[in-house]
């Protein structure tokens, strides 16, 4: 018992540890590119953490997909928040939540921001499209919000955060909607003036030409966040040199599951037998290790052991 912290000491040491939001703030402003990896449930969040990533991207696309619906606000915001809760509780990493358009107007967004602070999310991205948003790569009509109205949304969010380190990342979909780099810059500057902590500049091109042109003109007015899903061949170093601080691997865990699950399902169905897949899938022990089942033994020894003696 000598080495155990008392309740008071524990709470003091937890208070002095940097919060998740403070860690995200440091990463965004640190001048070095950081990799954020997508998670869509507690299980994938644990794999992200054990792999050494410093940051989790709670992706709207992959959370919706894992719920079996489209990234078109078909999942309710409370459903999505429930998944965020599992992600946060499964890891100690900061989580950047994909807030889509904020699920409505400035008022919906400030309700969301308050809830996110309560759920210990480290930050949120909010994009300048209209509700219901459609995934940026899904084609269709990508209708942009009025930039001035969107600035009100950013301000409402900043005024409502209950954690001073919580980050609001303003995302412009100007390039996604087919507008020019100049128009994207104009919007980003308004969002900076409205109080955004960083700018997420998104593109669906297969090269980073637009992004690099944007970054060069932007010249470090605020840190930049990108999700290079389509221009994946661009080395992170090139983006870092251009002023990018968060590089989001936006959907890679879900895409990995997609192929792996299809392969296993097709093989088992074809064979009507589970033998052939055994060596290519994870073991039950790996699941137990990931979810820390051994902690249960330690807890039983501590709590049931004590109970048995008294
Ligand atoms: C997401 O992962 O949900 C994103 C990135 O917002 S994208 O799918 O590229 O829009
Ligand atoms: Mg999204």
């Amino acid at each position: 018992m000598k080495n155990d912290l008392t309740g008071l000491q524990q709470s003091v040491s937890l208070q002095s540890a940097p919060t998740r939001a403070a860690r995200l703030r440091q990463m965004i402003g640190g001048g070095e590119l950081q990799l954020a990896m997508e998670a869509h449930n507690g299980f994938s969040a644990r794999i992200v953490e054990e792999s050494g990533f410093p940051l989790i991207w709670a992706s709207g696309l992959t959370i919706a997909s894992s719920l079996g619906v489209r990234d078109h606000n078909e999942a309710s915001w409370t459903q999505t928040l429930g998944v965020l809760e599992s992600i946060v509780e499964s890891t100690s990493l900061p989580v950047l939540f994909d807030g889509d358009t904020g699920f409505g107007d400035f008022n919906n967004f400030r309700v969301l921001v308050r809830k996110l602070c309560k759920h210990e999310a480290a930050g949120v991205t909010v994009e300048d499209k209209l509700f219901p948003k459609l995934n940026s790569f899904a084609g269709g009509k990508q209708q942009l919000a009025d930039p001035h109205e969107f600035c009100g949304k950013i301000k409402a969010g900043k005024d409502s955060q209950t954690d001073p380190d919580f980050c609001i990342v303003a995302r412009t979909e100007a390039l996604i909607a087919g507008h020019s780099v100049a128009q994207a810059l104009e919007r980003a500057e308004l969002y900076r003036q409205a109080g955004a902590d960083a700018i997420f500049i998104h593109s669906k091109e297969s090269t980073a030409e637009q992004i690099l042109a944007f970054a060069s003109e932007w010249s470090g007015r605020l840190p930049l966040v990108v999700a290079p899903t389509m221009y994946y061949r661009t080395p992170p170093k090139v983006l870092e040199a251009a002023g990018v601080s968060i590089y989001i691997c936006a959907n890679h865990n879900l895409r990995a599951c997609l192929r792996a699950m299809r392969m296993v399902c097709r093989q088992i169905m074809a064979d009507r037998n589970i033998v052939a897949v055994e060596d290519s899938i994870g073991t039950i022990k790996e699941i137990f290790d990931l979810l820390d089942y051994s902690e249960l033994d330690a807890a039983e020894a501590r709590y049931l052991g004590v109970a048995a003696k008294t």
Side-chain angles (χ1 to χ4, degrees):
M1 292 306 281
K2 236 190 188 166
N3 292 330
D4 284 359
L5 292 173
T6 63
L8 180 64
Q9 281 171 320
Q10 268 177 355
S11 71
V12 168
S13 75
L14 282 177
Q15 278 164 16
S16 57
T19 63
R20 301 193 211 216
R23 275 147 62 201
L24 174 60
R25 183 162 287 281
Q26 271 167 14
M27 280 185 235
I28 283 185
E32 255 179 48
L33 180 139
Q34 304 288 344
L35 295 181
M37 183 64 181
E38 167 262 323
H40 48 274
N41 54 26
F43 189 81
S44 50
R46 284 199 181 230
I47 293 177
V48 173
E49 180 156 27
E50 72 165 16
S51 308
F53 288 93
L55 177 61
I56 290 178
W57 167 243
S59 153
L61 170 66
T62 69
I63 291 173
S65 305
S66 68
L67 291 170
V69 298
R70 292 168 289 207
D71 187 15
H72 190 33
N73 292 124
E74 289 184 345
S76 74
W77 74 275
T78 46
Q79 261 181 304
T80 308
L81 221 68
V83 177
L84 170 80
E85 209 179 326
S86 312
I87 292 174
V88 168
E89 286 175 4
S90 304
T91 72
S92 62
L93 292 179
V95 181
L96 179 59
F97 180 75
D98 181 353
D100 288 345
T101 59
F103 305 104
D105 67 1
F106 78 92
N107 187 46
N108 298 91
F109 186 55
R110 63 183 178 170
V111 172
L112 175 71
V113 166
R114 280 191 218 116
K115 288 257 194 237
L116 288 173
C117 289
K118 259 192 200 150
H119 286 291
E120 231 189 295
V124 65
T125 62
V126 58
E127 63 197 58
D128 56 359
K129 290 203 304 218
L130 300 182
F131 181 94
K133 61 71 58 81
L134 180 64
N135 184 268
S136 308
F137 304 135
K141 206 156 184 267
Q142 298 286 350
Q143 229 184 326
L144 294 185
D146 173 83
H148 298 284
E149 190 186 338
F150 189 69
C151 285
K153 206 177 254 189
I154 296 169
K155 280 185 196 149
K158 288 308 293 175
D159 286 346
S160 305
Q161 65 187 59
T162 50
D163 180 338
D165 288 318
F166 183 83
C167 294
I168 297 189
V169 178
R171 164 170 167 175
T172 181
E173 292 277 286
L175 301 175
I176 297 290
H179 297 290
S180 65
V181 169
Q183 283 167 308
L185 282 159
E186 228 171 85
R187 282 177 171 260
E189 177 56 21
L190 289 172
Y191 306 160
R192 184 187 71 79
Q193 288 171 18
D197 296 295
I199 298 294
F200 182 166
I201 176 70
H202 205 21
S203 161
K204 58 185 175 190
E205 301 289 305
S206 60
T207 72
E209 216 174 299
Q210 287 181 317
I211 296 290
L212 294 174
F214 177 97
S216 151
E217 218 29 62
W218 183 250
S219 50
R221 278 175 258 173
L222 273 183
L224 295 178
V225 174
V226 298
T229 305
M230 295 300 173
Y231 51 96
Y232 61 89
R233 287 192 180 83
T234 307
K237 280 275 160 221
V238 171
L239 295 166
E240 182 175 41
V244 169
S245 65
I246 305 290
Y247 176 108
I248 300 177
C249 312
N251 40 52
H252 295 72
N253 272 324
L254 189 82
R255 287 164 63 194
C257 295
L258 172 72
R259 281 278 168 90
M261 290 193 289
R262 272 201 170 137
M263 195 260 298
V264 166
C265 281
R266 284 172 185 175
Q267 180 90 53
I268 293 175
M269 197 54 201
D271 298 353
R272 296 196 160 271
N273 191 314
I274 57 176
V275 174
V277 300
E278 182 62 19
D279 292 339
S280 53
I281 58 179
T283 63
I284 298 296
K285 178 169 183 318
E286 282 175 84
I287 297 174
F288 290 168
D289 289 345
L290 184 67
L291 278 297
D292 201 10
Y293 277 50
S294 62
E295 189 276 337
L296 270 176
D297 294 336
E300 277 180 14
R302 182 176 170 89
Y303 301 114
L304 292 181
V306 169
K309 275 182 216 149
T310 53

